[in-house]
Amino acid sequence: RILEKLVANTAASAAWLLTGAGPPLRGSGLPVADACLPGTPDRHRDRHAAETVTDLDAIYSPTRYWLRLSAKEWAVLPTSQKLAADTKLDSETGLAAGDLLLMETDRKKFPVAAGLCGRWCAVRVGGRPVLLARLDYTAPAGDGEPGQLEAETFRARLPKGRRIVIDAMPDGEYRVTETEIPAREQRRGASSRAAPELPPFPEPIRPADVVAVCMLVVRRFGDATE
């Protein structure tokens, strides 16, 4: 009777009060974020978008949130816009602007390292902010050797040098032009031995670097955000 009065006089959900399932409040839902959160959604409320997704009691958990992909997300951009013309990916990601990725932040619910192969995850790579990545796993070559977990963040940045040209003009003035030199062009030059190598692509990570795992992808047609 007490529970019935709580449901009748508050916003508490009857299903949550009686069984513990679903969101605790009627009309509540999972928060939406426009970038990967560095932890559980309750600790990063300042990064939530105004939107929430309701009426999905079956998948509700306080450790989950929706990651909303924008048209500027690197995993969404066409391959030709990600990398230099002479660098190609094996395939497109299949994601689109406006898609919602259900991200689980509870490590107890993460698959083992081998089960992360092919999954979209939020990862922390090399001290950088948490990024969306597609993971790959290579089984150990022999007994006692660890498997290799790698993150494809689609953020390869070719190292660049600087070229400065000073032109002496007929009127006695000097014109200075400064341009960037792509790494592939540096390697062709006389100083190719000192040219930096391309960064590892994808990058090796540890299971502890995985912050969240995508459990579900929902496509919302016509909801692409700029």
Side-chain angles (χ1 to χ4, degrees), residues 150-198:
E150 295 179 320
E152 171 61 270
T153 63
F154 302 96
R155 284 178 175 260
R157 291 185 176 88
L158 300 179
K160 298 177 181 179
R162 309 292 293 180
R163 177 190 289 123
I164 300 177
V165 178
I166 302 177
D167 296 315
M169 309 304 292
D171 58 3
E173 296 291 329
Y174 291 90
R175 182 176 62 193
V176 180
T177 306
E178 185 175 356
T179 57
E180 292 183 343
I181 309 173
R184 60 182 181 278
E185 201 172 309
Q186 294 179 49
R187 289 197 292 269
R188 298 193 193 106
S191 60
S192 59
R193 291 183 180 179
E197 296 295 328
L198 293 177

Side-chain angles (χ1 to χ4, degrees), residues 73-84 89 92-93 154 156:
E73 170 63 51
W74 280 69
V76 170
L77 291 175
T79 301
S80 59
Q81 296 182 33
K82 293 189 184 86
L83 306 173
L89 296 175
E92 296 291 346
T93 66
F154 302 96

Side-chain angles (χ1 to χ4, degrees), residues 65-69 95 99-103 120-121 132 214-218:
Y65 69 95
W66 291 103
L67 175 62
R68 180 172 56 191
L69 301 183
L95 297 179
D99 286 355
L100 291 175
L101 276 60
L102 180 63
M103 307 300 290
W120 288 101
C121 298
L132 179 64
C214 177
M215 311 298 288
L216 177 69
V217 179
V218 176

Side-chain angles (χ1 to χ4, degrees), residues 192-212:
S192 59
R193 291 183 180 179
E197 296 295 328
L198 293 177
F201 186 72
E203 300 179 74
I205 63 170
R206 304 166 302 164
D209 295 326
V210 179
V211 177

